[in-house]
Amino acid sequence: MKNLFVLFLFIWAAIPVSYSQQIIPFPDLSEIHITIYNEAEIVDGRNYSLYTDHYQDALKKIDLEIEKVNERIQNETNSTLKTSLKNKRSSLIDKRSVLLEEAVLVQDLNKFY
């Protein structure tokens, strides 16, 4: 009788597990919601397919240069050279942002023609 009671407890404990619902986490949709609300297009950090070929090539080259400078910064031990590399990286990032702004303007102009 004792074994039957223990068997009943194990079966009773296993039943809710088999019928439980799996919890699937949802992705963070806050950024997408904000861009849709502002009627902006969603552009990934490296997705330049919306822009013209000229701007795509220029932006890819600048991204490559930034990656190379980042690698050099990580491997550099001299502090003065490291700060000059960081300054170079910041100037490249500024150049990249100017190019992105120009590419967006060209894209907007192309919508009218």
Side-chain angles (χ1 to χ4, degrees):
M1 186 68 179
K2 192 177 193 181
N3 291 339
L4 185 62
F5 181 70
V6 171
L7 182 65
F8 174 74
L9 282 177
F10 281 124
I11 292 173
W12 184 67
I15 289 174
V17 173
S18 64
Y19 292 112
S20 65
Q21 187 176 17
Q22 183 180 5
I23 298 172
I24 301 172
F26 288 100
D28 182 21
L29 301 175
S30 60
E31 182 178 331
I32 294 171
H33 174 71
I34 291 169
T35 54
I36 291 172
Y37 180 74
N38 293 333
E39 297 179 1
E41 294 181 0
I42 301 169
V43 179
D44 190 12
R46 301 279 174 109
N47 183 11
Y48 304 127
S49 61
L50 297 174
Y51 309 126
T52 61
D53 293 337
H54 172 72
Y55 284 107
Q56 287 179 20
D57 295 337
L59 289 167
K60 287 176 185 176
K61 286 179 185 177
I62 289 178
D63 284 340
L64 258 163
E65 288 181 38
I66 291 172
E67 286 178 9
K68 288 178 184 177
V69 170
N70 283 335
E71 289 174 4
R72 286 184 61 196
I73 288 173
Q74 290 176 353
N75 297 331
E76 190 59 47
T77 57
N78 188 355
S79 63
T80 57
L81 188 57
K82 201 172 204 177
T83 55
S84 69
L85 287 172
K86 286 181 181 180
N87 291 336
K88 183 177 180 181
R89 179 181 62 187
S90 65
S91 68
L92 285 172
I93 290 172
D94 291 341
K95 186 177 178 183
R96 180 179 176 269
S97 64
V98 168
L99 265 175
L100 279 172
E101 289 175 5
E102 287 180 13
V104 169
L105 288 174
V106 168
Q107 180 188 10
D108 290 341
L109 286 174
N110 285 336
K111 287 180 183 177
F112 292 114
Y113 296 107

